[in-house]
Amino acid sequence: MGSIEARDFGTTQGGEHFSLYLLENDRGMSAGITDLGGCIVSLGVPGKNGATIDVELGYDDAAGYAVNKPNLGAPIGRYANRIGGASFVLDGQRYELERNDHEVNNLHSGSARWRLRRWDVLEAERDERGSHIRLHLSSPDGDQGFPGACETTLTYELTNDGALAITYEVLPSACTVVNMTNHSYFNLNGYASGTVAGHVAQIDAEAVTAVDENLIPTGKLVAVDGTPFDLREPKALGLGLASGDPAIEAAGGYDHNYALRPGTPQPSDEGFVGALRHVARVRGDKTGIVMDVATDLPGMQLYTGNHVGGEHGKGGSVTIDHGAFCLETQFFPDAVNHPEFAQPVFGPEKPYRSRTIYSFSTEE
């Protein structure tokens, strides 16, 4: 019980020093969090044979995170996923963003990413519930091209019942758009154990957002019935990857937003974006590790690491395409340009507050 000690996480090429904080619970789980970007560096989970498996792709030290590589374990802000045409209109004013995706669209808010910045650690403690860390980032008006300053607090809690809960709180100074997510790359067999084709996934969604050739939503929803996107019943990810489906082939794998079934609001949901409900389950085929996902957000991007091969990660590992999967809970991509979608618009009188919970267990 008490404070969690900051460990040395090395320095960047610019000479900045960063720290690593190790969260632990009573079930033998651990989560490494760095103040560089607020990234999740490691996530240790007991497998069916009792051995602890690190299921999070990442890097060994701060130098690995301090460059524009894939967003391994990173919180994404101010706006996750894609904005078509790298622009949007809010309250009658057009805002232009960096065109960092196909030189046309904006992806994950551009290159000035929050994961490349120092997050101030407000609190890092262990108590009777488990352990947690709260981090803070100030984003000035105009940051990344978005209006309004934002004070952002990010809380990771590793609970004694086997969950990693992430809570995002953003207080804007003016009307703006906010769409945060976490971009963890998971492999439930271990971060360097090969492809996730054998992972069995289930997602509680009847439709995905239809997209154009650059993965920008058209505004329509497409039913998953009879397609490789139908994961309402458990299915190995490899079946979809090898299906030959044109949409999957065009993206190099799964890289699509699921329109999640809405939940029934409860008193505990007051003040949050929406109703917290279970939305997905994935099982590692070798370790028996099961990850359940709950969120209050309307959408979730399933991404199967289609273009991350060749990254030099922790422990001397080299990443491969389809060597991990992401479940990025979110507002729909490009929602700010589609009034028919739930709108990620927030302000001083309506702060952004959302949570996503990854719960872990094992099956034989």
Side-chain angles (χ1 to χ4, degrees), residues 47-363:
K48 61 185 178 182
N49 63 359
T52 298
I53 309 297
D54 186 354
V55 301
E56 181 94 25
L57 272 64
Y59 301 104
D60 285 321
D61 52 30
Y65 287 90
V67 293
N68 257 321
K69 294 182 178 182
N71 299 289
L72 302 188
I76 306 295
R78 179 175 312 186
Y79 200 99
N81 216 304
R82 295 170 173 86
I83 295 180
S87 66
F88 64 96
V89 175
L90 185 64
D91 289 342
Q93 182 172 344
R94 178 171 294 277
Y95 295 91
E96 300 289 340
L97 310 173
E98 180 183 353
R99 298 174 180 268
N100 68 318
D101 184 48
H102 295 92
E103 300 183 349
V104 176
N105 308 307
N106 180 269
L107 176 62
H108 295 321
S109 304
S111 56
R113 299 179 180 180
W114 286 8
R115 71 163 181 81
L116 298 173
R117 308 181 193 185
R118 181 183 298 278
W119 289 64
D120 296 322
V121 176
L122 303 179
E123 186 176 84
E125 295 181 347
R126 184 166 186 179
D127 55 29
E128 66 278 0
R129 299 185 305 274
S131 54
H132 67 274
I133 184 170
R134 294 177 64 237
L135 306 104
H136 174 265
L137 179 73
S138 292
S139 173
D141 181 24
D143 188 17
Q144 303 168 315
F146 295 99
C150 284
E151 298 298 328
T152 300
T153 303
L154 172 66
T155 303
Y156 294 106
E157 183 180 11
L158 189 65
T159 66
N160 287 332
D161 60 359
L164 178 65
I166 307 174
T167 303
Y168 311 90
E169 298 172 278
V170 182
L171 178 60
S173 66
C175 185
T176 190
V177 293
V178 180
N179 184 21
M180 293 198 68
T181 195
N182 181 274
H183 213 309
S184 283
Y185 285 74
F186 297 107
N187 187 319
L188 301 182
N189 293 330
Y191 68 83
S193 61
T195 78
V196 293
H199 281 50
V200 176
Q202 184 176 12
I203 298 177
D204 192 13
E206 297 178 351
V208 294
T209 48
V211 294
D212 65 16
E213 65 277 7
N214 290 328
L215 300 179
I216 300 298
T218 64
K220 297 181 179 179
L221 298 181
V222 177
V224 298
D225 302 74
T227 76
F229 296 99
D230 189 353
L231 298 177
R232 290 173 294 183
E233 297 296 328
K235 182 185 298 183
L237 290 173
L239 295 177
L241 294 175
S243 67
D245 180 271
I248 291 178
E249 290 290 303
Y254 287 100
D255 192 5
H256 299 80
N257 173 66
Y258 280 79
L260 301 172
R261 289 177 180 168
T264 302
Q266 304 294 323
S268 58
D269 296 319
E270 186 175 355
F272 286 94
V273 167
L276 182 69
R277 74 282 191 207
H278 180 270
V279 297
R281 167 174 282 204
V282 184
R283 181 184 185 276
D285 53 308
K286 298 177 182 177
T287 60
I289 292 175
V290 175
M291 184 177 80
D292 286 285
V293 184
T295 190
D296 57 11
L297 289 162
M300 183 175 68
Q301 192 90 359
L302 170 61
Y303 178 52
T304 47
N306 308 330
H307 308 291
V308 296
E311 277 294 308
H312 291 270
K314 58 190 176 185
S317 63
V318 178
T319 61
I320 61 173
D321 290 346
H322 305 152
F325 69 93
C326 306
L327 292 176
E328 306 159 60
T329 56
Q330 60 184 4
F331 281 91
F332 293 179
D334 200 32
V336 69
N337 287 317
H338 291 279
E340 65 272 27
F341 294 161
Q343 288 299 291
V345 178
F346 298 89
E349 305 303 319
K350 184 187 176 184
Y352 175 93
R353 192 167 182 233
S354 177
R355 72 281 206 219
T356 293
I357 302 172
Y358 301 99
S359 300
F360 295 87
S361 57
T362 56
E363 292 181 352

